[in-house]
Amino acid sequence: MTTNGRAPLASLRRITSTRPEPVVGERCEMCAAPITDEHPHVVNLESRALMCTCRGCYLLFTAEQATLRYRAVPDRYLSFADFSFGMGDWDDLQIPVGLVFLFKNSVQDRTVAFYPGPAGATESELPLDAWERIEAANPDLRVMQADVEALLLRGPDREHPGFSCHVVPIDACYELVGRLRSLWRGFDGGQEARAAIDDFFARVEKRSRPVETTGS
Ligand SMILES: [Zn+2]
Ligand SMILES: [Zn+2]
């Protein structure tokens, strides 16, 4: 396996260090047509860069099975009725903060984990088999699309005793990381970062629909 470990992080840095959207007069990064604030995104699978696109260009890359260089980021949020994940699984992931997102990188053929912090997103070396165990315990996770969707996990803290587990669009993760980057204080993020995470999860909960059980 040829791992180019720097690529995802580098692109995340680039994404999270750019000024927040929207920019007046923003244009599709593929065809240069003017686009509004509310526009879809496409992932460049090689560079991991997220591109702002018009609807037409976006639709060129929605086919999941196609072997294309770009892939459209879907607009769905999924929740799991009984996600099988416990403190032991969380400890296995060895994430130093209370939040992580995991996605499959199809180019590198592996699942990668990122967590937020003052420098943007940091990649965490996933322990061998950690993802396989999570996926084996939660077969519904197979609906998650490589490269463009992520499993977002929030660990328990004093105010939220349980885990929050959702499949979300990858661009939503990047947005959250970008917001947290400027708010992050100290080791655990501090109060403002926690408030932003609360706010984000409230919106994720609202938009999520239960995953359709596999095998039916
Ligand atoms: Zn376009
Ligand atoms: Zn955009």
Side-chain angles (χ1 to χ4, degrees):
M1 182 173 70
T2 53
T3 52
N4 181 3
R6 283 170 305 139
L9 186 55
S11 61
L12 275 172
R13 283 229 177 91
R14 194 166 27 173
I15 289 156
T16 54
S17 64
T18 51
R19 61 186 177 274
E21 298 181 75
V23 181
V24 178
E26 202 170 355
R27 290 181 175 273
C28 172
E29 290 182 62
M30 292 189 148
C31 73
I35 50 176
T36 60
D37 302 354
E38 290 285 319
H39 55 258
H41 293 114
V42 161
V43 171
N44 178 325
L45 299 189
E46 289 292 338
S47 72
R48 296 297 316 165
L50 201 59
M51 302 169 76
C52 302
T53 59
C54 71
R55 197 82 206 158
C57 289
Y58 172 83
L59 290 173
L60 295 175
F61 302 105
T62 49
E64 210 186 321
Q65 305 308 328
T67 45
L68 298 168
R69 189 171 160 207
Y70 303 99
R71 191 136 301 162
V73 179
D75 185 31
R76 63 173 184 175
Y77 291 72
L78 301 175
S79 58
F80 301 86
D82 33 31
F83 197 78
S84 173
F85 190 85
M87 213 53 216
D89 301 301
W90 178 255
D91 290 343
D92 277 354
L93 294 179
Q94 298 171 21
I95 303 300
V97 299
L99 186 71
V100 64
F101 64 96
L102 305 101
F103 67 91
K104 291 182 209 169
N105 182 320
S106 67
V107 174
Q108 297 179 1
D109 192 25
R110 66 189 183 111
T111 300
V112 291
F114 287 91
Y115 60 86
T122 302
E123 181 172 358
S124 172
E125 199 68 43
L126 262 189
L128 219 60
D129 303 340
W131 174 255
E132 281 76 7
R133 277 202 304 279
I134 296 172
E135 199 177 50
N138 299 282
D140 287 344
L141 273 179
R142 302 220 167 90
V143 302
M144 189 170 99
Q145 290 185 34
D147 305 301
V148 291
E149 290 186 314
L151 175 65
L152 185 67
L153 285 168
R154 184 184 195 177
D157 60 30
R158 223 178 311 160
E159 280 142 64
H160 314 85
F163 289 95
S164 296
C165 313
H166 293 271
V167 166
V168 303
I170 196 88
D171 53 359
C173 295
Y174 291 166
E175 270 174 48
L176 176 64
V177 164
R179 186 135 45 98
L180 292 178
R181 183 174 187 252
S182 57
L183 300 174
W184 204 270
R185 299 287 178 272
F187 182 69
D188 67 346
Q191 218 164 14
E192 272 188 90
R194 272 203 304 279
I197 293 170
D198 283 346
D199 177 62
F200 181 81
F201 271 88
R203 280 184 294 134
V204 168
E205 302 278 356
K206 216 170 177 177
R207 291 189 67 166
S208 289
R209 56 183 170 75
V211 66
E212 281 165 41
T213 312
T214 53
S216 57

